[in-house]
Amino acid sequence: MTARLKGAVIGCGFFAQNHLHGWADLDDVEIVAVCDVDESKAKLAAEKFGIARVYTSAEAMLATEALDFVDIPTTMETHEALTALAFAHGVPVILQKPFAPDLDGCKRMVAAAAAANVPLMIHEDFRFQNLFRTVREILDSGELGRLTFGRLSWRTGIDVYSNQPYLVHVKRFMIMDVGIHLLDLARFLFGEANGVFCRTQQIKEGIAGEDAATILLSHEQGATSILDFSYATKREPDPFPQTLGEIEGTEGTLIIGADRVLTVHGKDGTRRIAVPHDDRSWTSEPWTQIQDSVVHTQRHFVDSLRRGVEPDTSGRDSLATYALLEAAYLSAARGTLIHPDRLG
Ligand code: NAD
Ligand code: 89V
C-alpha cells in the first residue's frame, strides 16, 4: 500500500462536504478524484478542496483511476450499484449510512464484498464522537459495574427538511435516519440485543414516514435500553444534534448531559467530565461533534485498511444493527416484541 492512500469521493452533496474536509485533515490520504452525476457539484468540490480530476460517472472514474479506496456519501438507494462497481475493480469502500433500504439489501452487499474479497465499512459516526469514546472508556474501567439500564435520547425540532429535502418522501424515515445511529450506539455500549419492541409516530403532517419513535431493547448481557428520538420536539434550547441519556450499572450511574457534560455517580462520589471538541478550523456549531466524528470514522477506516483488519462498523458487523432496525419496523407494524435473530 502506498505511503499516501489515494481515494475518491462519489457524491458531493450536503454531507459530503464534511467528508471532503475530513479527508483533507488526514495527512496520509490524498483524494485524487471526485464524482457526482451533477457535474456542478463535483466541480465545486474539486475547486474547493484542490482535487485533480472530476467525473460524472462512477464507472468511468473506477475504470480510469488507480484507487486505494472510494468513499460513497450518497443516499442509500444508490449504494448497491455503486458498491458493485467498486468491488468489480477490487477497490475498498467506506459507505455512508443508511447502508441499504432493507436488511436484504445489506446482506447482498456484504456477500458481494466477501465474494470480491474487498473491505466494506459503513460510515456510522455516532460511536466515533469524542463523547461516546469517553463513555466507552468509563464503561471499560468497570466503574459502573454490570450494566442494567440505558437510555439514549435524541430529540429536536430543527428543520431537517431544508438540508435534506428527500426525507419528506421516505417511508422509513426516523428509524432509518437517526434511529440507526442509536441502534449502533446501543450495541457499542450495551452489547448485542435479542429483543426489540418499537412504537413509531408521525407527528408532522405531509411527510411519508415516521418522525418519532421509541425502541426498547433487551440486551444479551442483561441490560435494558430505551432509545427515543424525534424530529418533532419543540424545545428551547434545542439540543440538536446531541444524544442525551443515562447509563445505570450495579455500582453507579452515568448521566449524558447537555453540551457534552458527563456526570459519573460512582462508589467514590460524583465527578463531572466536560468532553471537548477537536478544535478543527472548518467545523461549526451545532454540527461540531458530528463533524469531528466524521474524521475519526475516516481515520479508523484508513487504519483498518493499513493494518489489514476488519473495521468496527464493517458491512458484516453492521448486519446486526440493520437486523435491529428491521425488527423495530416489524415490531411497530405488529405491536409485538420481535427477536431479530428469528427474522430469517
Ligand atoms: P445529497 O442528496 O445532498 O447528496 C448526495 C449526492 O450524491 C448528490 O449530489 C447526488 O447528485 C449524488 N449522487 C447520487 N447518485 C450518484 C451516483 N450514482 N454517482 C455519483 N453521484 C451521485 O444527500 P446528503 O444529504 O448529503 O445525504 C447523503 C447521505 O448522508 C444520506 O444517506 C444521509 O443519511 C447521510 N447523512 C449522514 C449524516 C451523519 O451524521 N452521518 C448526516 C447527514 C446525512
Ligand atoms: O445522520 C443523519 O442523517 C443526520 C444527523 C443529524 C442525525 O446526523 O440527520
Side-chain angles (χ1 to χ4, degrees):
M1 211 166 263
T2 48
R4 285 187 94 196
L5 296 193
K6 292 191 189 313
V9 176
I10 302 176
C12 302
F14 164 65
F15 201 68
Q17 304 312 306
N18 298 313
H19 289 228
L20 289 157
H21 275 295
W23 293 124
D25 275 6
L26 300 189
D27 288 341
D28 59 340
V29 171
E30 181 186 2
I31 298 300
V32 296
V34 282
C35 171
D36 199 298
V37 286
D38 180 339
E39 191 176 19
S40 65
K41 288 190 187 171
K43 277 189 169 162
L44 209 63
E47 275 165 31
K48 187 169 167 194
F49 293 94
I51 295 163
R53 289 174 293 283
V54 168
Y55 293 85
T56 52
S57 153
E59 195 165 6
M61 184 177 78
L62 281 151
T64 311
E65 301 286 337
L67 298 170
D68 294 310
F69 71 88
V70 286
D71 177 21
I72 308 182
T74 58
T75 46
M76 65 184 168
E77 68 284 355
T78 65
H79 288 177
E80 198 165 351
L82 289 170
T83 53
L85 278 175
F87 299 154
H89 288 85
V91 176
V93 175
I94 178 166
L95 183 69
Q96 182 51 253
K97 55 63 65 175
F99 193 166
D102 57 29
L103 181 59
D104 286 344
C106 303
K107 285 181 179 169
R108 285 194 300 273
M109 279 185 263
V110 169
N117 196 21
V118 174
L120 168 65
M121 175 174 165
I122 305 309
H123 181 120
E124 176 42 70
D125 44 31
F126 272 36
R127 67 159 73 190
F128 289 98
Q129 289 176 11
N130 288 334
L131 181 71
F132 286 103
R133 292 285 136 174
T134 308
V135 170
R136 187 64 260 170
E137 280 168 24
I138 293 167
L139 301 187
D140 287 342
S141 76
E143 198 175 352
L144 301 189
R146 182 172 52 77
L147 299 188
T148 53
F149 176 79
R151 188 172 65 87
L152 300 172
S153 180
W154 196 99
R155 311 190 76 81
T156 181
I158 61 136
D159 172 21
V160 66
Y161 311 97
S162 52
N163 282 332
Q164 295 168 265
Y166 52 88
L167 292 175
V168 171
H169 309 292
V170 288
K171 290 221 169 77
R172 289 181 154 195
F173 170 24
M174 195 66 198
I175 306 178
M176 193 61 105
D177 190 57
V178 177
I180 198 67
H181 290 302
L182 300 189
L183 289 168
D184 181 68
L185 268 185
R187 290 183 58 227
F188 179 60
L189 300 174
F190 312 119
E192 299 303 342
N194 52 16
V196 181
F197 185 81
C198 175
R199 181 164 190 256
T200 57
Q201 293 162 281
Q202 191 201 98
I203 297 163
K204 182 182 169 66
E205 287 177 14
I207 58 173
E210 79 285 1
D211 54 357
T214 308
I215 299 177
L216 185 146
L217 300 174
S218 60
H219 293 270
E220 287 173 0
Q221 288 158 26
T224 298
S225 70
I226 294 172
L227 318 178
D228 62 274
F229 41 101
S230 155
Y231 270 128
T233 300
K234 311 259 182 286
R235 85 194 216 195
E236 282 296 331
D238 191 310
F240 175 85
Q242 302 179 52
T243 308
L244 310 175
E246 60 244 338
I247 299 175
E248 293 178 12
T250 50
E251 308 296 326
T253 296
L254 167 60
I255 309 288
I256 305 167
D259 302 324
R260 304 170 319 287
V261 175
L262 298 174
T263 306
V264 187
H265 302 284
K267 273 190 291 212
D268 304 322
T270 295
R271 65 194 166 91
R272 283 191 176 72
I273 305 164
V275 179
H277 289 317
D278 286 349
D279 197 23
R280 296 174 189 278
S281 61
W282 52 273
T283 56
S284 60
E285 290 293 45
W287 285 92
T288 313
Q289 77 181 129
I290 286 187
Q291 290 168 318
D292 285 346
S293 76
V294 165
V295 194
H296 307 158
T297 311
Q298 293 172 326
R299 182 74 264 160
H300 178 73
F301 173 66
V302 169
D303 289 346
S304 303
L305 276 188
R306 288 190 178 284
R307 291 168 49 221
V309 299
E310 186 174 331
D312 289 353
T313 54
S314 66
R316 190 196 59 79
D317 176 85
S318 299
L319 290 180
T321 311
Y322 284 78
L324 296 179
L325 171 136
E326 209 63 65
Y329 277 116
L330 194 58
S331 169
R334 290 189 184 163
T336 57
L337 179 78
I338 303 291
H339 299 283
D341 53 338
R342 294 183 210 156
L343 282 176

